Amino acid sequence: MAVYTDVSDEELSDFLTRYDIGALVSCKGIAEGVENSNFLLGTEAGRFILTLYEKRVDEADLPFFLGLMDHLAGRGINCPEPIRDRDGRALGRLAGRPATIVSFLDGMWVKRPEVSHCGQVGEALARLHQAGEGFAIRRRNGLGPDGWPPLYAGSADRADEVLAGLGGEIETELAFVAAHWPKGLPDGVIHADLFPDNVFFLKGQLSGLIDFYFACNDFLAYDLAICLNAWCFEPDGAFNITKGRAMLTGYAAGRPLTDAEIEALPVLCRGSALRFLLTRLYDWLMTPPGALVRKKDPLEYYRKLRFHRTAATATAYGLELAGTGA
Ligand SMILES: Nc1ncnc2c1ncn2[C@@H]1O[C@H](COP(=O)(O)OP(=O)(O)OP(=O)(O)O)[C@@H](O)[C@H]1O
Ligand SMILES: N[C@@H](CCO)C(=O)O
């Protein structure tokens, strides 16, 4: 459960006096999420989300994340909007942690995404990429290819505890992506974690995007690869090409993919599967027993990685390549 920091009613009521959102009516810790402490606030003005940033979020990155949500909301993306206090500040301090209040979004995330959800996520991702243009602050992707070897170093000597031979497989994969990672693809602001639990739907229609705390500047098609991984595999581990096609078609309708992006899709998918394998592996091995965090299965991403190794071209993901008749 993701409430790491307790906040007393007194502290919270006092904090709220700095904002124009009325007095506190209710406050409930939100169990979902793993990175930060989140609370659903009820005030005289309605519902809001209070986030206390825990230590995995670098405070220096907060102006990027909060500024980005402002920028995207101003360009029609339905994402949380930081609420400013009377002095115009979106970032405050509560219970010893950096804290923000953002607008509440209606909707629910889907546990079993269907083809139509995948298509809508593709469309929304293209809109997000376009809306991100012109955002002035930059943030490098610390969880990009340069970050993977040091991340792996933190769990290398224990990887085989999770699966015999896993360490060797990861090393082979790190060498592969280092040698084949594309250069010069269109880049911009990416969400970098647009998993089903970060996308809300209302009556089957995509209604909002949340959790911008991995957002950064990177290849736009890498974000699409992250979504193919997160949305288009079945619980039995099989890639669902119909979902992949829906997502890619939805995306390309908003922002056509370049030939170089299409060619790079298999390696981008491989790299993004490796990224989530590595962060999950680290958390799996390093989270102390009894911690409140629910650990995610690293091997789910190892299995996805193995699928991507068999993908020779983007047709494996459902993209119809011009001139191939595929
Ligand atoms: N603006 C919002 N409107 C409505 N609900 C929200 C909003 N922001 C967060 N939530 C709720 O809080 C939960 C956790 O939020 P979030 O995903 O941002 O947390 P996190 O700790 O960064 O988690 P993780 O990185 O693991 O996804 C969400 O699943 C959702 O239920
Ligand atoms: N989406 C990530 C968790 C971090 O938000 C995962 O599934 O590994």
Side-chain angles (χ1 to χ4, degrees), residues 12-164:
L12 183 53
S13 293
D14 192 44
F15 183 69
L16 286 186
T17 58
R18 297 177 25 202
Y19 294 82
D20 271 328
I21 57 171
L24 183 65
V25 175
S26 62
C27 175
K28 197 165 150 272
I30 297 177
E32 288 186 59
V34 293
E35 297 290 335
N36 299 308
S37 296
N38 290 298
F39 301 85
L40 173 60
L41 289 188
T43 78
E44 289 167 339
R47 284 184 294 184
F48 298 89
I49 297 287
L50 166 70
T51 301
L52 269 56
Y53 299 100
E54 301 297 339
K55 45 186 178 307
R56 293 225 297 201
V57 174
D58 183 345
E59 271 191 71
D61 286 331
L62 291 174
F64 175 92
F65 299 138
L66 300 177
L68 178 62
M69 289 189 268
D70 259 339
H71 177 93
L72 294 174
R75 280 161 183 73
I77 300 295
N78 198 24
C79 67
E81 271 190 85
I83 308 293
R84 294 180 180 277
D85 67 13
R86 281 191 211 90
D87 297 325
R89 283 184 302 226
L91 185 61
R93 244 191 137 75
L94 178 58
R97 311 248 26 116
T100 40
I101 297 175
V102 298
S103 58
F104 180 88
L105 301 188
D106 285 318
M108 302 271 289
W109 68 273
V110 287
K111 297 212 163 55
R112 290 282 172 106
E114 292 167 10
V115 173
S116 128
H117 299 116
C118 296
Q120 292 183 63
V121 169
E123 291 166 14
L125 190 70
R127 282 197 298 274
L128 181 72
H129 289 167
Q130 283 160 338
E133 284 171 15
F135 179 53
I137 315 177
R138 289 184 65 82
R139 177 173 184 265
R140 69 174 275 278
N141 187 1
L143 288 173
D146 295 347
W148 299 335
L151 176 61
Y152 175 58
S155 36
D157 55 352
R158 293 184 53 202
D160 285 17
E161 287 175 27
V162 177
L163 179 75

Side-chain angles (χ1 to χ4, degrees), residues 260-317:
E261 288 179 307
I262 293 170
E263 195 184 322
L265 204 56
V267 69
L268 293 172
C269 284
R270 235 165 126 158
S272 97
L274 180 61
R275 174 262 186 252
F276 289 100
L277 165 58
L278 291 175
T279 45
R280 287 181 173 201
L281 178 66
Y282 184 86
D283 289 347
W284 192 267
L285 294 170
M286 301 305 159
T287 307
L292 297 171
V293 180
R294 190 171 48 84
K295 297 190 281 188
K296 298 189 175 180
D297 181 12
L299 295 181
E300 178 190 336
Y301 272 82
Y302 174 59
R303 291 187 286 271
K304 291 178 179 179
L305 183 52
R306 287 167 53 115
F307 168 79
H308 299 310
R309 282 182 184 161
T310 69
T313 68
T315 53
Y317 303 105

